[in-house]
Amino acid sequence: MSVANVLTTAQEQVNQIIEAYKEREIRRVFLVACGGSSALMYPSKYFIDRESTQITAEVYNSNEFIYRNPATLGSDSLVILCSHKGKTPETTEAAKFAKGKGALTVSLMYVETAPLAEESDFIVNYSWAPPGQLDPHPEIANYAVLYRLTMGLLAVKEGNKKYEKLLSSLDNFGQVLKKAKEQSLESAKAYAQAFKNESVIYTMASGVNYGIAYSFAICILMEMQWKHSHAIHAGEFFHGPFEILDKDVPFILLKGLDETRPMEERAHKFLKEHGEKLLILDAKEFDMSGIDEELKGYLAPLLLNFVLRVYAVELAAATGHALETRRYMFKVPY
Amino acid sequence: MSVANVLTTAQEQVNQIIEAYKEREIRRVFLVACGGSSALMYPSKYFIDRESTQITAEVYNSNEFIYRNPATLGSDSLVILCSHKGKTPETTEAAKFAKGKGALTVSLMYVETAPLAEESDFIVNYSWAPPGQLDPHPEIANYAVLYRLTMGLLAVKEGNKKYEKLLSSLDNFGQVLKKAKEQSLESAKAYAQAFKNESVIYTMASGVNYGIAYSFAICILMEMQWKHSHAIHAGEFFHGPFEILDKDVPFILLKGLDETRPMEERAHKFLKEHGEKLLILDAKEFDMSGIDEELKGYLAPLLLNFVLRVYAVELAAATGHALETRRYMFKVPY
């Protein structure tokens, strides 16, 4: 598909799904995927938690979803799934399982079609760019499509006004990312040089940004750089994990613009007092012109995720360990 | 209170709460606490997820709960909180916040009374024994009280039959733990000697046991032994984290008796193929006589948690780093 077609197609796909919402009662949203595709579901759960009085949302790993077999899963459920190439077997199985329970199944994938599509009522083909590169269509990238689907749901079911604001804000998001890249590149290079030999790097965040910390920990640091990591919740930090902090233990802290920011600020204060090897990425320090004031908190994770990918590229360059290198994934049976 | 009184008191407290359930509609359960007290909520969420068609459950860190401010929180919500000494400020604040929204608030604590009690509609004083020691009343220990409160809820609201089976099973649980301790002690000593110098130890589980892995990672390894750690979900393992595995990377895998066991088995197979420094704790290898067949899956986490505490005590003895040693907790401002 041409670039223009990609945009039109994704928008039309979303519009069709929003029409389908109107035809059934929806009380439960299950956000189901694995690894990095699961991490991108967290902001949408945060949105539904905060804004819906009637609809509740859960994030589950695909196999956890199947084996746990939630008793509330049924015809009044919307199950949104994601797999980048649409070939993750657990996620395809989860779509089939959910459809068998009568749920409305919507699957996101980067490719045009794949096994996951065959087991889903609807699909959306999202846009994607390699880590740190500017996507020509960030307004239909995976996180953005997730918000379109969940904010669209609340627009249709509860008259929530965020959906319209999302659409106008997303039109300006490419510019936000472009400026963020320019602003981050030199810091990312310096960070990569300073931290390339670390064997452990923790990430931390709360609220709408926790999934971003999780994604960087498991996909970038563990999977792509073979560094030990863990995404620590900024509120949980003070109830155990903080005892591991010392001058020589590296932490990456995300500071967002959502309502949970005070937790991240508290963690920041403590990190400054007792740690030294810190990277603080604060959404406040980036230019989010063109983004609706009410949407900034929700869109900060998309910004922070992009900036972290700029860091990932520089880290890989400094370590000499390419982001594509794997020892197990797609190489050995599992 | 005398030992007999502790038991009677906790049972009566639970009975009063179950009576209170009858007087209001309950559609949402929020399980709210910090750190280790939060970890013990996970099995009850698993139970509600699997068995309730009408009531949904969430586990939130106390401050995350307050700042996230779920829109479904209201008079049809049951909020269960826990703080060992009833003095965790975030949890007391969360109880006050929930009560202000009209929710029914129930708080667990080991002490007789505390600030948290003053902000709660009901309290339950649970029994507690130091790590690895046999509690004279495991039937009213924290995890068991949580199940009494959640299985009792579904008994009253949906006629669920697990509550009666829980009560009869818990009567025999002390014997299960006693045998488990005898069975584990030598292995725990050997493990502690072999792994005392490791700087990183990962834990892994799924389903009803994930919270146990989380608790051991953040409370025992990070907080009490200052070892790097992370609780990896056994289904997520294959979507990033497994790339960190090597012959020299220690993993503790829990294998439960719940429906998600196939995920733990899959992880076990992979760990055996590509790792060497493994501790596999399999609930199947312990004698659970006296526990109702339908309850074994739900009670396995309580067993595995106890066994892990036996390991914790031996690890502390081998490292010479007492479980009570802290550098920040209750020592510096945070």
Side-chain angles (χ1 to χ4, degrees):
Chain A
M1 283 189 282
S2 72
V3 165
N5 276 349
V6 169
L7 179 61
T8 315
T9 300
Q11 285 174 337
E12 281 173 3
Q13 287 168 328
V14 170
N15 288 341
Q16 274 178 18
I17 294 161
I18 288 175
E19 285 306 308
Y21 290 161
K22 295 177 184 168
E23 286 161 30
R24 65 161 80 197
E25 192 190 11
I26 294 174
R27 296 191 58 85
R28 287 283 267 169
V29 177
F30 293 96
L31 302 160
V32 176
C34 297
S37 292
S38 175
L40 61 90
M41 307 279 190
Y42 287 68
S44 283
K45 170 168 166 56
Y46 184 83
F47 165 73
I48 294 171
D49 279 355
R50 279 196 57 81
E51 309 231 358
S52 177
T53 54
Q54 300 299 323
I55 299 170
T56 56
E58 298 268 5
V59 175
Y60 284 123
N61 165 273
S62 303
N63 263 347
E64 178 77 33
F65 174 69
I66 296 169
Y67 293 122
R68 185 176 287 234
N69 188 10
T72 51
L73 174 63
S75 58
D76 61 358
S77 302
L78 165 65
V79 181
I80 303 179
L81 309 102
C82 180
S83 166
H84 191 57
K85 292 183 181 164
K87 285 196 259 185
T88 310
E90 301 100 303
T91 307
T92 302
E93 200 55 42
K96 197 173 166 182
F97 170 75
K99 231 175 139 176
K101 298 270 184 176
L104 178 65
T105 53
V106 173
S107 293
L108 278 63
M109 61 199 71
Y110 165 60
V111 294
E112 278 192 62
T113 190
L116 176 58
E118 288 160 35
E119 301 296 343
S120 309
D121 293 316
F122 293 93
I123 67 165
V124 185
N125 304 112
Y126 59 79
S127 182
W128 179 81
Q133 290 188 33
L134 290 163
D135 188 330
H137 284 296
E139 67 271 41
I140 53 156
N142 45 19
Y143 284 93
V145 168
L146 252 305
Y147 270 148
R148 284 172 186 259
L149 292 172
T150 50
M151 293 190 180
L153 176 68
L154 265 52
V156 163
K157 295 298 182 189
E158 302 181 1
N160 189 294
K161 302 292 181 204
K162 296 289 191 301
Y163 185 57
E164 296 162 41
K165 292 171 182 174
L166 172 75
L167 298 188
S168 61
S169 297
L170 285 177
D171 284 341
N172 301 316
F173 208 63
Q175 190 57 32
V176 170
L177 297 184
K178 188 167 177 286
K179 284 183 280 185
K181 183 170 180 177
E182 287 160 14
Q183 187 177 331
S184 310
L185 202 54
E186 288 312 308
S187 322
K189 285 182 197 297
Y191 181 83
Q193 280 307 321
F195 288 81
K196 63 185 177 187
N197 296 322
E198 298 293 341
S199 62
V200 184
I201 301 176
Y202 288 104
T203 64
M204 185 150 58
S206 62
V208 74
N209 295 299
Y210 180 75
I212 307 304
Y214 179 66
S215 179
F216 197 74
I218 70 157
C219 297
I220 303 296
L221 294 172
M222 299 178 87
E223 176 183 331
M224 301 186 186
Q225 290 293 294
W226 304 355
K227 289 187 185 295
H228 297 297
S229 190
H230 177 175
I232 298 172
H233 182 276
E236 290 287 274
F237 178 59
F238 298 99
H239 298 275
F242 75 159
E243 286 285 334
I244 206 70
L245 178 65
D246 209 340
K247 303 288 182 201
D248 63 348
V249 179
F251 268 78
I252 298 174
L253 173 69
L254 307 181
K255 293 177 76 176
L257 302 171
D258 59 306
E259 298 73 12
T260 73
R261 183 176 169 95
M263 277 190 277
E264 292 162 349
E265 283 177 343
R266 183 183 176 205
H268 189 183
K269 185 166 179 286
F270 194 87
L271 286 176
K272 276 194 295 189
E273 281 166 9
H274 302 280
E276 275 179 3
K277 294 189 166 180
L278 309 178
L279 169 62
I280 314 295
L281 291 181
D282 189 344
K284 254 192 188 164
E285 291 170 9
F286 293 89
D287 182 355
M288 290 184 80
S289 307
I291 308 304
D292 189 286
E293 207 52 49
E294 288 183 32
L295 264 290
K296 283 184 179 171
Y298 291 123
L299 292 177
L302 284 62
L303 165 69
L304 292 171
N305 188 60
F306 175 76
V307 172
L308 276 170
R309 287 335 188 241
V310 174
Y311 277 75
V313 170
E314 297 308 324
L315 194 59
T319 58
H321 183 115
L323 294 174
E324 296 75 24
T325 307
R326 301 286 185 284
R327 47 183 145 184
Y328 307 125
M329 195 176 274
F330 311 126
K331 286 192 157 180
V332 305
Y334 53 91
Chain B
M1 285 188 280
S2 74
V3 165
N5 275 352
V6 170
L7 180 60
T8 315
T9 300
Q11 284 174 337
E12 281 173 4
Q13 287 168 328
V14 170
N15 289 341
Q16 275 178 17
I17 294 160
I18 289 175
E19 285 307 308
Y21 290 161
K22 295 177 184 167
E23 285 161 32
R24 65 161 80 198
E25 190 189 13
I26 295 173
R27 296 191 57 85
R28 286 284 268 168
V29 177
F30 293 96
L31 303 160
V32 176
C34 296
S37 291
S38 174
L40 59 90
M41 308 279 189
Y42 287 67
S44 283
K45 171 167 165 57
Y46 185 83
F47 165 72
I48 294 171
D49 279 355
R50 279 197 58 80
E51 309 230 359
S52 177
T53 53
Q54 299 299 324
I55 299 170
T56 56
E58 298 269 5
V59 175
Y60 284 123
N61 165 273
S62 303
N63 262 348
E64 177 77 32
F65 174 68
I66 295 169
Y67 293 122
R68 185 176 287 236
N69 188 12
T72 51
L73 173 63
S75 59
D76 60 358
S77 302
L78 165 65
V79 180
I80 303 180
L81 308 103
C82 180
S83 166
H84 191 56
K85 292 182 181 164
K87 284 196 262 186
T88 309
E90 300 99 304
T91 307
T92 302
E93 200 55 42
K96 196 173 166 182
F97 171 75
K99 230 175 140 176
K101 297 271 185 176
L104 178 65
T105 54
V106 173
S107 293
L108 279 61
M109 60 199 71
Y110 165 60
V111 294
E112 278 191 62
T113 189
L116 176 58
E118 287 160 36
E119 302 295 343
S120 308
D121 294 314
F122 292 93
I123 67 164
V124 185
N125 305 110
Y126 59 80
S127 182
W128 179 80
Q133 290 188 33
L134 290 162
D135 188 330
H137 284 297
E139 67 271 39
I140 53 156
N142 44 19
Y143 283 94
V145 168
L146 252 305
Y147 269 148
R148 284 173 187 259
L149 292 172
T150 49
M151 293 190 180
L153 176 68
L154 295 202
V156 162
K157 295 297 182 189
E158 302 181 0
N160 188 294
K161 302 293 181 204
K162 295 289 191 303
Y163 184 58
E164 295 161 40
K165 292 171 182 173
L166 172 75
L167 297 187
S168 61
S169 296
L170 285 176
D171 285 341
N172 301 316
F173 207 63
Q175 191 57 31
V176 170
L177 296 184
K178 188 166 177 286
K179 284 183 282 187
K181 183 171 180 176
E182 288 161 11
Q183 187 177 331
S184 311
L185 202 54
E186 287 313 308
S187 322
K189 284 182 198 295
Y191 181 83
Q193 279 308 321
F195 289 80
K196 63 185 177 188
N197 295 323
E198 298 293 341
S199 63
V200 184
I201 300 177
Y202 288 103
T203 64
M204 185 151 58
S206 62
V208 75
N209 295 299
Y210 180 75
I212 307 302
Y214 179 65
S215 179
F216 197 74
I218 70 156
C219 298
I220 303 296
L221 294 172
M222 298 177 88
E223 176 183 331
M224 302 186 186
Q225 290 292 294
W226 303 356
K227 289 188 185 297
H228 297 297
S229 189
H230 178 176
I232 298 172
H233 183 275
E236 289 287 276
F237 179 59
F238 298 99
H239 298 276
F242 75 158
E243 285 285 334
I244 207 70
L245 178 66
D246 209 339
K247 304 288 183 200
D248 64 349
V249 179
F251 268 79
I252 298 174
L253 173 69
L254 307 181
K255 292 177 76 176
L257 303 171
D258 59 306
E259 298 73 12
T260 73
R261 183 177 169 93
M263 275 191 280
E264 293 162 348
E265 282 177 343
R266 183 184 176 206
H268 189 183
K269 185 166 179 285
F270 194 87
L271 286 176
K272 276 194 295 190
E273 281 168 7
H274 302 280
E276 275 178 4
K277 295 189 166 180
L278 309 178
L279 169 62
I280 314 296
L281 291 180
D282 188 344
K284 252 192 189 165
E285 291 170 7
F286 293 89
D287 182 355
M288 289 184 81
S289 306
I291 308 304
D292 189 285
E293 207 53 48
E294 288 183 33
L295 265 291
K296 283 184 178 171
Y298 291 123
L299 291 177
L302 285 61
L303 165 69
L304 292 171
N305 188 59
F306 175 76
V307 171
L308 277 171
R309 285 337 186 238
V310 173
Y311 277 75
V313 170
E314 297 308 324
L315 195 59
T319 57
H321 184 114
L323 294 175
E324 297 74 24
T325 306
R326 301 286 185 283
R327 48 182 144 183
Y328 307 125
M329 195 176 274
F330 311 127
K331 287 193 156 179
V332 303
Y334 53 91

